[in-house]
Amino acid sequence: GSQLKEFAVPSGLERARRIGGALRAASGDYTSVVLSQLSSFGMPGRVLFEGSLLKPVKFVQHTQDAHDIGTLVLERADGKGSVTVLSLNENILAYSSNQSAPVIQMPDMLCWLGEDGTTFDNAQLQSEMSSPKVKSIYAIGVEATQTVGVPSTGVTFRDFPGVQAQMAAIMGAVGYAGAYVPFDANG
């Protein structure tokens, strides 16, 4: 409870429910639906990799110390290279074969959205990679710029000292020793 009071993003669950409801009610252009909902919450986001669909080609995952550690490789449908995502229970870091710095990393969020509006967490993506539902997916990046704390501290999630300390430890666990590169939804 004390950690939730310190790190919670107010209205997080309600926002997730609203995005899910909007996706269920939509018929087409699901990325716009998600981005519109995020914008209405003041959460800047965009479709990554120039809006290209991604095809999951390899997902290797193992469990260590009660954590799911994985590497996901995706090919860009536009032919402009590949994407590698490192995960420790959740998406931690994404690289493009065309860039030297990470495209997005925690605490900024990387989310999966199917062409048909289906959402996936990593476990679902791994188990359904060969199904038609995940033939091609979009990667949506969201800035972790919401204020945290109950009541709100006025400090953004990604700038909160406690989050930064946790983030550095997790980055080290997946072998990343570089500095945090804040995600910019404006590209």
Side-chain angles (χ1 to χ4, degrees):
S2 64
Q3 286 181 332
L4 197 56
K5 288 177 184 174
E6 186 176 3
F7 296 118
V9 174
S11 304
L13 186 56
E14 178 58 30
R15 292 172 180 180
R17 287 182 178 152
R18 284 186 45 200
I19 291 171
L23 280 171
R24 283 188 298 281
S27 57
D29 199 8
Y30 299 103
T31 57
S32 290
V33 169
V34 170
L35 294 175
S36 174
Q37 286 292 309
L38 290 170
S39 178
S40 75
F41 307 142
M43 297 174 68
R46 68 177 160 92
V47 179
L48 299 175
F49 311 107
E50 298 159 354
S52 178
L53 281 161
L54 303 170
K55 178 184 178 188
V57 292
K58 182 179 179 184
F59 198 155
V60 178
Q61 184 169 282
H62 69 281
T63 301
Q64 180 180 330
D65 299 327
H67 296 289
D68 294 328
I69 300 168
T71 302
L72 171 63
V73 178
L74 307 103
E75 292 176 350
R76 289 179 57 159
D78 62 8
K80 294 183 179 178
S82 62
V83 175
T84 301
V85 178
L86 304 178
S87 62
L88 181 69
N89 295 334
E90 299 300 330
N91 296 322
I92 301 300
L93 185 65
Y95 286 98
S96 169
S97 60
N98 303 323
Q99 293 178 265
S100 58
V103 173
I104 191 167
Q105 64 190 102
M106 69 169 298
D108 298 308
M109 296 167 275
L110 171 60
C111 312
W112 306 120
L113 182 67
E115 286 182 271
D116 65 353
T118 302
T119 59
F120 301 95
D121 65 18
N122 287 342
Q124 293 165 318
L125 188 61
Q126 183 181 26
S127 70
E128 298 182 26
M129 273 180 57
S130 61
S131 80
K133 283 200 308 189
V134 295
K135 193 174 286 186
S136 296
I137 60 175
Y138 290 102
I140 297 177
V142 183
E143 292 181 16
T145 53
Q146 308 84 334
T147 56
V148 294
V150 181
S152 176
T153 62
V155 176
T156 67
F157 189 81
R158 68 183 181 190
D159 295 328
F160 196 73
V163 170
Q164 294 230 345
Q166 290 293 320
M167 182 179 67
I170 292 170
M171 291 294 176
V174 297
Y176 179 73
Y180 168 58
V181 180
F183 173 67
D184 181 1
N186 295 316

